[in-house]
Amino acid sequence: MKLPRTTLILILLALGLGGFVYLYEIRGATVREEINEQKQQIFSFAEDDVQSLTVKTKKLTLNLERSSESSNPKWLIKSPISAPANDAIVSYLMDLLVKGKSERALSTPVKELGEFALDQPQATINIILKNRQSHQLILGKSNFNKRFLYAQADSAAKPDGNINVLLVSTDFANAVNRNLSEWQQPVDNSQKLPGLSTPLPTPTNGK
């Protein structure tokens, strides 16, 4: 029996759609699961574990320390000036450090780190915990499609002599590449508005 041409086209379309669904939903899900399994937490400490941070970029070296007082701000700038820090800005960076994950790790010989701009990084973040343990995150250049940054975390060499180069969120660059004024606590201008002065009485001629 010869099928009508329209029916044959519909059957072919259905087969093609079924193949697409299999590749995307079933096979694609497996691939996506494998990719997700490659994601690793960059650091394992909690925000409350951190005592101080040093953020070094090409234009600024900033030292931040957790305030010993319970009142705001939670963070203080210790250098290059002494001033209260912008808690929202510091919290943004802290959230990335605590929750951030690497998409992938590339085992790389030390001599090739320059290919990722990790020998002359755009930023280095040094972290000191309350228990005096230290951690470091080095941020290099963007990858080819600018979706991620190359980075090193606690860059001790592995037994084979290579270093793990991570792919991390570009949000890290947004978090650290700031002017000093952005790191400072915003000024409450409402407290600096001049008060209304009471007019003095107009002098009279002896009356």
Side-chain angles (χ1 to χ4, degrees):
M1 181 179 68
K2 187 176 181 180
L3 294 174
R5 184 178 179 183
T6 303
T7 303
L8 185 59
I9 291 173
L10 291 174
I11 291 173
L12 291 174
L13 287 173
L15 289 173
L17 180 60
F20 172 79
V21 170
Y22 170 78
L23 289 174
Y24 182 80
E25 294 294 338
I26 300 176
R27 176 59 184 162
T30 302
V31 172
R32 289 193 293 274
E33 185 175 340
E34 290 172 353
I35 291 174
N36 288 336
E37 287 177 353
Q38 292 176 0
K39 293 183 180 180
Q40 297 290 330
Q41 195 86 17
I42 300 174
F43 297 113
S44 60
F45 55 77
E47 180 176 351
D48 287 342
D49 295 334
V50 179
Q51 178 60 35
S52 64
L53 293 169
T54 299
V55 179
K56 183 178 180 180
T57 65
K58 292 183 177 179
K59 62 181 180 180
L60 178 68
T61 297
L62 183 82
N63 291 303
L64 296 161
E65 188 169 306
R66 186 182 294 275
S67 174
S68 58
E69 300 177 4
S70 58
S71 59
N72 288 330
K74 291 195 301 183
W75 290 92
L76 303 172
I77 300 174
K78 305 303 288 186
S79 68
I81 62 172
S82 180
N86 187 325
D87 279 340
I89 296 296
V90 180
S91 294
Y92 177 56
L93 173 58
M94 285 297 307
D95 193 62
L96 291 171
L97 292 171
V98 170
K99 299 178 182 178
K101 294 183 178 182
S102 66
E103 294 291 317
R104 198 175 303 116
L106 310 173
S107 183
T108 306
V110 175
K111 64 182 181 180
E112 296 179 9
L113 293 178
E115 296 181 14
F116 307 98
L118 291 168
D119 58 339
Q120 296 181 335
Q122 63 168 299
T124 301
I125 306 167
N126 290 302
I127 305 128
I128 304 294
L129 305 184
K130 292 177 180 178
N131 63 8
R132 309 313 299 170
Q133 288 184 357
S134 62
H135 296 275
Q136 185 181 67
L137 185 67
I138 302 173
L139 302 177
K141 67 179 183 180
S142 302
N143 70 331
F144 71 97
N145 59 11
K146 300 191 182 302
R147 290 182 57 200
F148 303 104
L149 295 177
Y150 294 114
Q152 282 178 259
D154 294 341
S155 54
K158 300 188 297 179
D160 61 5
N162 288 353
I163 296 287
N164 273 343
V165 174
L166 311 178
L167 284 172
V168 302
S169 171
T170 55
D171 289 342
F172 278 101
N174 299 330
V176 298
N177 288 313
R178 300 180 181 276
N179 295 320
L180 178 58
S181 60
E182 294 180 81
W183 291 101
Q184 294 177 250
Q185 186 182 55
V187 175
D188 186 356
N189 290 323
S190 65
Q191 297 180 0
K192 292 193 172 185
L193 292 176
L196 295 176
S197 58
T198 304
L200 294 174
T202 302
T204 58
N205 294 328
K207 295 183 180 180

